Amino acid sequence: MSKKVVKKRKRKNKFVIFAFEVLALIVLLVVLYVVNFFNHVQDGGLKKSEVAINKEIADDSFFQKGQYTNIALFGLDNRGSGQYENGNSDTIMIASINNDNKKVKLISVYRDTYLLVGKNRLAKANSAYAIGGVKNAVKTLNANLDLDIQNYITVDWGALVKAIDALGGIDIEISRAEMNKINEYTVEIVMMTGKQTTKLNTFGKVHLDGTQATSYARIRKLKGDDYLRSSRQRIVLQAMLEKAKMSNVAKLGTMIDSIKNDISTSLSTKDMLSLVSHVKDYQIESTTGFPFKLGTQNINGEDTVIPAELANNVVELHQYMFGDDDGEYSVSKNVESISNRIKLKTGYTSKSRYIVDTNKYNNTAGNISTVGTIEKNEKSSKERE
């Protein structure tokens, strides 16, 4: 590969349900126990030639060995059921599964990240799906992040409430401010889903039904903004996975039946059977947000997340996902070109002022609260200093 590159909003609050990241790994790790599920998942397979894997990555023996399975997870803000052709993917995640030790890393790509989204256009990452559907969305991830993603899962917003209710709810630790926001958001969710709920009167460790947990995953207008909202989504995912692992086949079957029309995926039955054969062994090792180093800028009237710089962030991403397994990784010529375009357009570099520190929000593994997440990450940061 090429010489190593070393380079060191105000928006109307939409009813955006971040269902996909909760459901995606459940599909991979849990629900495939029920064979009937295979007859309902909508198959939208992608060919390797369709997903724009950068040449240096396609030729790299590390990626050809197949030690890791990387799957793109998209959650659309469409209101209708089963509409997967277009729409903004207001949640974007990558599930990276180490096939040797069955450890999983989850990467949330912030929806407002300024990337090349197709047709020589720089824009927010969430617009890639709206521009060219799932193929363009996967292309965007591969082209900008030097990845070899060939599979995806997309769900629409209605599945999250159904899935959590089918599991019997989840336990999460919330603050007083989060309790108030949950009560505020449930009003709208009840109107949209018809799923009734009750008002929360306590905070701390609480039991949430599907409507309440979905409200929790929506919270953005508190400390941490969209960065901490991504953390909440991962906390919900982790709680669901733990609950699902303790559930019997009958309960999982009920959940599957409730969401079977809300999923579109490129995974074949064989792929899913291979993943589910080790379902009890899978563990979420860590989670993070991307970019790692970023700034914000208003572009065309929209608050936008600017990688500072993209090439450096991609190097860090590969180190995070693959560790030393990737050897002496260098960004591809394509990523270097995109990185330079973003820098030229925005003026942001790794030395720019007002860079946002998101480290304290990133790793939610093992935590059931945002407070615990922040405290644990800040402690880890001090220990590394």
Side-chain angles (χ1 to χ4, degrees):
M1 298 179 75
S2 59
K3 186 178 179 181
K4 186 173 182 178
V5 175
V6 182
K7 307 176 180 177
K8 301 285 188 193
R9 61 195 129 338
K10 289 184 180 179
R11 179 181 175 185
K12 183 178 179 181
N13 189 20
K14 292 184 176 180
F15 177 63
V16 180
I17 305 303
F18 296 92
F20 89 93
E21 63 194 69
V22 174
L23 295 172
L25 284 185
I26 290 176
V27 171
L28 296 177
L29 310 181
V30 182
V31 301
L32 302 180
Y33 279 125
V34 183
V35 177
N36 185 56
F37 176 66
F38 297 137
N39 297 324
H40 297 290
V41 175
Q42 297 190 21
D43 188 359
L46 299 177
K47 298 178 181 178
K48 189 171 183 178
S49 60
E50 297 176 320
V51 292
I53 300 172
N54 290 331
K55 184 178 186 304
E56 292 93 329
I57 298 303
D59 295 340
D60 193 327
S61 61
F62 167 76
F63 288 97
Q64 293 173 2
K65 290 177 182 177
Q67 180 182 348
Y68 295 87
T69 298
N70 299 313
I71 302 171
L73 317 172
F74 301 106
L76 305 184
D77 65 356
N78 297 337
R79 302 300 189 272
S81 178
Q83 298 177 7
Y84 308 115
E85 291 77 15
N86 50 47
N88 287 335
S89 55
D90 269 6
T91 308
I92 305 166
M93 185 175 283
I94 301 163
S96 184
I97 303 171
N98 186 317
N99 297 319
D100 292 337
N101 60 25
K102 305 301 180 291
K103 291 183 178 179
V104 180
K105 292 181 180 178
L106 299 177
I107 301 95
S108 295
V109 178
Y110 298 125
R111 62 177 188 174
D112 294 334
T113 306
Y114 201 54
L115 298 175
L116 188 69
V117 297
K119 300 181 180 179
N120 205 33
R121 174 183 174 187
L122 291 172
K124 290 185 178 185
N126 68 342
S127 67
Y129 206 112
I131 291 171
V134 69
K135 290 181 182 178
N136 191 57
V138 174
K139 284 181 181 179
T140 294
L141 294 176
N142 284 334
N144 287 270
L145 307 183
D146 264 350
L147 293 176
D148 64 338
I149 300 169
Q150 298 177 43
N151 286 293
Y152 74 92
I153 297 172
T154 300
V155 303
D156 57 29
W157 61 268
L160 180 55
V161 174
K162 299 175 186 177
I164 294 175
D165 282 341
L167 286 172
I170 57 176
D171 296 322
I172 289 177
E173 188 173 328
I174 62 173
S175 67
R176 180 191 293 271
E178 288 172 331
M179 178 191 73
N180 291 334
K181 283 295 181 183
I182 290 172
N183 288 333
E184 176 185 340
Y185 290 161
T186 53
V187 175
E188 187 175 23
I189 294 176
V190 168
M191 290 176 60
M192 297 296 294
T193 66
K195 292 282 188 177
Q196 298 298 318
T197 188
T198 58
K199 183 177 180 180
L200 289 175
N201 295 311
T202 60
F203 54 95
K205 189 173 182 180
V206 296
H207 185 76
L208 303 179
D209 63 23
T211 302
Q212 294 163 341
T214 299
S215 298
Y216 173 81
R218 285 188 62 197
I219 298 172
R220 174 173 62 89
K221 292 186 176 180
L222 290 177
K223 178 182 178 181
D225 302 313
D226 193 43
Y227 314 116
L228 197 52
R229 175 167 61 179
S230 294
S231 296
R232 291 186 183 94
Q233 297 160 19
R234 295 191 293 271
I235 288 170
V236 169
L237 167 60
Q238 293 159 187
M240 287 191 70
L241 284 175
E242 291 307 309
K243 191 67 177 288
K245 285 183 178 181
M246 296 185 293
S247 300
N248 58 36
V249 173
K251 181 173 285 189
L252 293 178
T254 299
M255 183 188 69
I256 292 164
D257 189 61
S258 70
I259 64 173
K260 64 187 179 184
N261 294 320
D262 300 315
I263 299 171
S264 174
T265 182
S266 62
L267 295 173
S268 67
T269 299
K270 181 179 179 181
D271 293 332
M272 293 189 285
L273 282 171
S274 177
L275 288 166
V276 81
S277 65
H278 298 284
V279 64
K280 294 295 184 181
D281 299 326
Y282 285 105
Q283 296 291 332
I284 297 179
E285 179 180 17
S286 65
T287 76
T288 193
F290 181 88
F292 300 97
K293 295 180 178 63
L294 58 92
T296 60
Q297 190 173 110
N298 189 286
I299 298 178
N300 298 325
E302 295 184 317
D303 289 338
T304 306
V305 169
I306 312 299
E309 304 163 15
L310 179 63
N312 295 329
N313 275 285
V314 172
V315 168
E316 189 171 350
L317 177 65
H318 279 243
Q319 180 64 32
Y320 171 78
M321 293 176 70
F322 311 122
D324 294 331
D325 295 336
D326 196 16
E328 195 70 8
Y329 166 69
S330 306
V331 297
S332 66
K333 292 180 180 178
N334 193 39
V335 168
E336 187 171 4
S337 174
I338 297 170
S339 182
N340 288 333
R341 284 189 59 184
I342 294 172
K343 182 169 61 175
L344 182 64
K345 175 72 174 180
T346 66
Y348 261 100
T349 73
S350 57
K351 297 180 180 179
S352 296
R353 297 180 63 188
Y354 309 116
I355 299 298
V356 179
D357 180 10
T358 62
N359 288 332
K360 59 186 175 183
Y361 309 133
N362 285 343
N363 191 11
T364 61
N367 291 308
I368 62 171
S369 72
T370 53
V371 172
T373 293
I374 292 171
E375 290 178 349
K376 184 176 180 179
N377 289 333
E378 287 181 335
K379 181 180 180 181
S380 297
S381 180
K382 289 179 180 178
E383 290 174 349
R384 290 193 298 268
E385 291 177 356

